[in-house]
Amino acid sequence: MQLTINVNGKEYSIESGKSLLDLIKQYIPNAKYGIIAAREGDKLIELTTPIGENKSVEWVKTDSSEGIAILRHSTSHIMALAVKRLFPKTLVAIGPSTDDGFYYDFDSETRFNEEDFTKIEAEMQKIIDSDLPFVRKEVSKAEALAKFKDEGEIYKAEIIGEIDAETVSLYTTGEFVDLCRGPHIPSTSYIRAFKLTKIAGAYWRGDEKNKMLQRIYGTAFADSKSLKAYLTMLEEAKERDHRKIGKEMGLFGFYQEGPGFPFWKPNGMVLYNGIVDYWRRIHRQNGYIEVKTPIILNEDLWHRSGHWANYSENMYFTKIDGDSYAVKPMNCPGGILIYNDGIHSYKELPLKIAELGLVHRHEKSGVLHGLFRVRQFTQDDAHIYCTKEQVKGEVEKVIALVQKIYSDFGFDDVHIELSTRPDKSIGSDEMWELAEKSLKEALEELKIEYKVNPKDGAFYGPKIDFHIKDAIGRSWQCGTIQCDFAMPERFDMSYIGADGKKHRPVMLHRAILGSIERFIGILIEHYKGKFPFWLAPEQLRILPIAAAHLEYANSVKNFLQNFGFRVTIDESSEKLGAKIKQARLDRVHTIAIIGDSEMNSKLVTVRKADMEENRTLKLDELVDFFIDLNNNTK
RNA sequence: GCUGGCUUAGCUCAAUCUGGCAGAGCAGCUGACUUGUAAUCAGCAGGUUGCGGGUUCAAUUCCCAUAGCCAGCUCCA
């Protein structure tokens, strides 16, 4: 019998029982390796699946995110086969694809190290070259369980025990049989480019009470060019590491005396203050007022807020006059005390109160990571107190502000995620429903695409998260809006409505940069330390050619400093070439060269430190040039 | 917190495996050079080898403990 298969709107006729792979071979033979699976509605179909009816499908290609995930997942099976060939006593746990590759967890008496990678990669290449098929087989749960138990594969057996289905699918590649949902590539030769990247310990099921397994990471791409580009990106990321650049530029430091507590050096302080100045200005422009609340507050407050019950493992405590106090991990309870100090009218709402709040959170020692994960940081926090009816509109305004601010910092690619009620939470079901609905509606009203993260909300409310993409394509979570009906209830907050009666306000928590410290880390990596003019710690360095030019250089410096520009002079007795090199290493924004000709004609020759082009300007023109630079970036 | 690795001059790294006087480059200081677009030359100084124990005639090196850092797990702004 002939079947009609509609692929991407084009019709093909093939015999019943043949597969999509046969179809490709017959009609589009030069597509080999580019097409990796097909999608029918939400369902992914393997190319080798026999077809028994007319269908309408779309190709899944290796350059799509679904396609690359299949490719990587299959590569993880190939790695597991290679590892089992080389180290036969090894047990396998799980081996999924990840955002940038794949891994497989192994339980082995052999301690693997990176020197083993060459061996494993060679074995994998052998497997790929021998073009072994991936063969899917459905078996009963009991049969699969018996098989893996016989082989002592305790991890696989444990997973099967928890699967809620009559049958499970097994995939055979060579002599390796794995429990797996699929889909997979038709055969191993589809893998064109792969590499093992690192090895690390990982707990079975991510639980530190369980045995630690050995996780081998790798990655695979549709072709070697993409793999190479990825590896180059990793190198580039290393070059941009904010910990390295921070040290080189004298921005910040961490010392043994305070693990996780950043110290800001003078150049870093310029960045920090530049951001804060900008932040204050734009918040004023958007109708926010500002407060500051204490860092240490009485234990009682934290019981009322729910932090004691839900967050105490991350909090620092202290005693004052025999009473127990906690160091704030969040700013909201303090802000609420200010709100509750007095009566509020509905006419004041929405009330937008911002706070650059210094918070302390006791993060586990192993998670600290430069400025990205610290124990003390400043949230660019704000709390918006409003009526239920105002929530949606206020959320929309925050979203607009978030986008404006990111774009001012040079981030134009933003994506949004919505996180819903976690298992550990406070507040009633109705509150949660209403809160989640308000956030959803705001996003839908603005026609913004978003992804849902189930159970990932804060303990007091659901949240919208904002992620920005940096110069080398990495994504960072920064901003957040959290919709909170619970705190107002707990703290018995109220406003007087038009009806003269007390009503409960809704509280929106929001941060845009997230943490100033972390945001600076992201900026460093985004700009690779070459900050735009308004943020650059050293905006201009004057390089006098000889000692005779120092006096004129100083007068130029003073002139520019009066306008508020950050100017230094290289007074060393080096040659010009050496001074230029040093200025570039220090990532100075612009350099000015002053020699006889400039001194005699009262001019300055400037150039951006990383460019070749020179401009010779009058001092007034230089000031205008700098003012332009400032305006262009903000 | 867990697993593994690392910690040597201000910085980047040798010497550690196989125990035997701890060594470079850059930065610093001094002097000379007065310089026109990515490193001028010479000299000087710089160290209880993260901290604490142990083994040894002898420990930067081996062992134990501890702190910090790095990678990953988990968590997260």
Side-chain angles (χ1 to χ4, degrees):
Chain A
M1 195 178 69
Q2 287 290 312
L3 295 173
T4 305
I5 310 294
N6 182 312
V7 190
N8 296 14
K10 204 169 162 187
E11 299 214 328
Y12 298 93
S13 170
I14 59 161
E15 259 173 67
S16 168
K18 293 251 184 183
S19 68
L20 291 171
L21 193 58
D22 296 321
L23 187 155
I24 292 170
K25 279 182 188 156
Q26 190 177 339
Y27 294 101
I28 29 178
N30 55 359
K32 200 184 176 193
Y33 303 130
I35 298 170
I36 211 159
R39 193 184 326 96
E40 184 185 13
D42 294 340
K43 214 177 77 195
L44 288 175
I45 310 171
E46 265 160 42
L47 296 181
T48 49
T49 313
I51 296 184
E53 58 191 51
N54 296 337
K55 270 182 194 300
S56 179
V57 301
E58 279 178 17
W59 292 134
V60 172
K61 298 190 174 178
T62 43
D63 54 8
S64 69
S65 63
E66 269 172 329
I68 201 90
I70 294 171
L71 200 70
R72 289 168 176 170
H73 184 191
S74 297
T75 314
S76 85
H77 280 234
I78 293 171
M79 176 173 76
L81 168 57
V83 168
K84 289 200 75 132
R85 278 185 183 173
L86 295 167
F87 309 94
K89 280 185 186 154
T90 302
L91 299 181
V92 292
I94 53 165
S97 66
T98 62
D99 285 348
D100 52 6
F102 62 85
Y103 64 81
Y104 217 114
D105 284 347
F106 300 103
D107 184 358
S108 177
E109 284 170 24
T110 315
R111 177 153 284 291
F112 303 131
N113 56 49
E114 297 198 1
E115 277 98 76
D116 295 322
F117 283 6
T118 325
K119 257 193 304 188
I120 299 171
E121 282 173 343
E123 190 62 37
M124 288 172 73
Q125 193 57 54
K126 237 193 262 173
I127 294 164
I128 290 166
D129 292 343
S130 50
D131 199 16
L132 301 172
F134 276 81
V135 183
R136 182 189 171 96
K137 192 179 165 200
E138 305 260 342
V139 301
S140 75
K141 212 172 121 175
E143 190 184 327
L145 194 59
K147 173 191 156 45
F148 285 114
K149 269 192 176 155
D150 277 356
E151 292 166 7
E153 292 282 3
I154 47 176
Y155 301 100
K156 292 291 172 197
E158 191 178 323
I159 295 169
I160 295 171
E162 287 167 21
I163 292 177
D164 186 22
E166 295 290 300
T167 62
V168 296
S169 53
L170 301 181
Y171 276 84
T172 304
T173 320
E175 67 276 20
F176 177 58
V177 182
D178 200 357
L179 171 75
C180 185
R181 187 182 293 137
H184 278 288
I185 54 178
S187 64
T188 55
S189 67
Y190 274 70
I191 305 303
R192 319 297 291 167
F194 74 95
K195 185 171 171 48
L196 302 187
T197 50
K198 58 197 163 199
I199 180 154
Y203 301 103
W204 169 234
R205 321 212 106 174
D207 186 337
E208 61 187 87
K209 289 183 201 86
N210 289 336
K211 183 166 183 180
M212 172 139 327
L213 307 173
Q214 300 188 68
R215 175 170 297 179
I216 300 181
Y217 285 88
T219 192
F221 285 86
D223 52 65
S224 53
K225 210 173 125 197
S226 313
L227 173 64
K228 216 176 147 198
Y230 171 75
L231 296 173
T232 308
M233 191 278 283
L234 287 188
E235 285 302 308
E236 183 61 30
K238 233 187 242 173
E239 287 292 303
R240 284 168 188 261
D241 192 316
H242 72 281
R243 292 167 298 190
K244 174 175 165 272
I245 293 177
K247 191 175 241 175
E248 288 166 0
M249 293 181 73
L251 301 176
F252 59 89
F254 286 94
Y255 309 105
Q256 233 173 287
E257 289 78 357
F261 300 111
F263 285 69
W264 288 99
K265 298 183 184 176
N267 281 344
M269 219 41 219
V270 171
L271 273 179
Y272 192 102
N273 286 331
I275 291 168
V276 167
D277 290 347
Y278 161 80
W279 185 90
R280 288 216 159 100
R281 190 170 60 245
I282 199 157
H283 278 76
R284 271 200 304 274
Q285 286 164 354
N286 282 270
Y288 285 80
I289 49 179
E290 189 181 349
V291 297
K292 190 169 184 70
T293 66
I295 289 170
I296 302 174
L297 291 163
N298 193 284
E299 164 177 353
D300 172 61
L301 179 71
W302 305 107
H303 284 295
R304 273 191 279 156
S305 69
H307 285 91
W308 198 277
N310 289 283
Y311 207 75
S312 57
E313 69 223 26
N314 283 310
M315 290 167 68
Y316 294 103
F317 301 97
T318 186
K319 287 244 184 254
I320 301 176
D321 294 340
D323 280 342
S324 174
Y325 282 70
V327 182
K328 70 175 176 184
M330 294 181 193
N331 305 300
C332 11
I336 291 171
L337 294 184
I338 291 179
Y339 179 92
N340 276 352
D341 181 7
I343 295 173
H344 297 280
S345 153
Y346 72 97
K347 291 177 188 168
E348 289 173 59
L349 305 187
L351 185 56
K352 306 200 259 195
I353 306 183
E355 172 171 14
L356 289 168
L358 181 64
V359 297
H360 291 72
R361 298 184 182 175
H362 181 241
E363 303 294 347
K364 288 178 179 176
S365 58
V367 306
L368 301 176
H369 181 97
L371 293 175
F372 288 160
R373 196 75 184 279
V374 292
R375 286 178 170 161
Q376 181 202 62
F377 60 100
T378 309
Q379 288 182 308
D380 66 317
D381 216 342
H383 298 106
I384 299 170
Y385 306 95
C386 62
T387 68
K388 283 194 186 84
E389 294 70 35
Q390 289 169 334
V391 169
K392 201 172 69 185
E394 286 308 307
V395 170
E396 288 174 14
K397 277 184 209 155
V398 174
I399 293 174
L401 180 61
V402 167
Q403 285 169 333
K404 161 77 179 141
I405 290 179
Y406 289 166
S407 136
D408 283 347
F409 278 104
F411 299 104
D412 290 307
D413 190 341
V414 180
H415 90 264
I416 294 181
E417 298 185 4
L418 175 70
S419 300
T420 58
R421 185 174 191 172
D423 292 331
K424 212 173 166 188
S425 68
I426 57 173
S428 69
D429 293 354
E430 293 121 286
M431 282 178 184
W432 275 92
E433 230 165 79
L434 186 57
E436 287 179 6
K437 193 170 144 244
S438 306
L439 292 183
K440 242 180 237 168
E441 282 180 0
L443 287 170
E444 269 149 32
E445 189 119 320
L446 291 173
K447 298 201 166 61
I448 289 178
E449 270 183 47
Y450 64 95
K451 185 186 140 200
V452 178
N453 289 327
K455 293 190 177 192
D456 208 25
F459 71 85
Y460 46 76
K463 61 178 182 178
I464 293 174
D465 289 327
F466 298 85
H467 301 247
I468 52 179
K469 217 172 229 182
D470 72 11
I472 54 171
R474 296 170 302 173
S475 189
W476 305 94
Q477 199 227 300
C478 293
T480 180
I481 308 175
Q482 298 166 2
C483 183
D484 180 5
F485 290 80
M487 289 294 165
E489 200 68 39
R490 290 191 157 232
F491 283 91
D492 193 26
M493 297 166 72
S494 64
Y495 67 90
I496 309 295
D499 55 4
K501 291 187 183 132
K502 275 191 177 178
H503 297 270
R504 193 73 77 206
V506 181
M507 189 173 175
L508 297 176
H509 308 248
R510 49 114 280 197
I512 293 178
L513 308 178
S515 129
I516 308 240
E517 289 76 0
R518 192 177 116 100
F519 194 75
I520 291 176
I522 295 167
L523 281 178
I524 293 170
E525 303 210 356
H526 179 62
Y527 287 117
K528 209 173 175 179
K530 294 180 203 154
F531 297 103
F533 186 77
W534 71 283
L535 285 170
E538 213 176 324
Q539 293 174 315
L540 180 74
R541 182 180 295 180
I542 300 172
L543 314 182
I545 287 178
H549 311 118
L550 262 177
E551 197 187 328
Y552 177 59
N554 263 302
S555 73
V556 171
K557 179 186 168 192
N558 290 336
F559 180 78
L560 293 168
Q561 262 179 353
N562 280 334
F563 287 88
F565 297 118
R566 299 182 284 272
V567 185
T568 58
I569 300 179
D570 184 341
E571 298 190 4
S572 66
S573 63
E574 297 289 338
K575 285 184 170 173
L576 184 57
K579 292 185 185 184
I580 289 174
K581 184 183 168 71
Q582 194 55 49
R584 295 206 52 172
L585 284 177
D586 293 342
R587 298 176 174 86
V588 168
H589 187 279
T590 300
I591 56 177
I593 294 158
I594 287 180
D596 284 341
S597 60
E598 284 82 2
M599 194 165 71
N600 296 332
S601 52
K602 299 285 175 222
L603 294 172
V604 206
T605 298
V606 296
R607 82 179 217 204
K608 283 196 176 172
D610 55 351
M611 289 201 248
E612 298 292 324
E613 188 200 355
N614 286 341
R615 303 177 64 174
T616 300
L617 301 171
K618 290 184 197 150
L619 281 184
D620 297 355
E621 290 170 338
L622 182 56
V623 170
D624 289 343
F625 174 63
F626 282 168
I627 289 173
D628 272 356
L629 276 176
N630 252 341
N631 292 339
N632 285 344
T633 43
K634 242 195 318 179

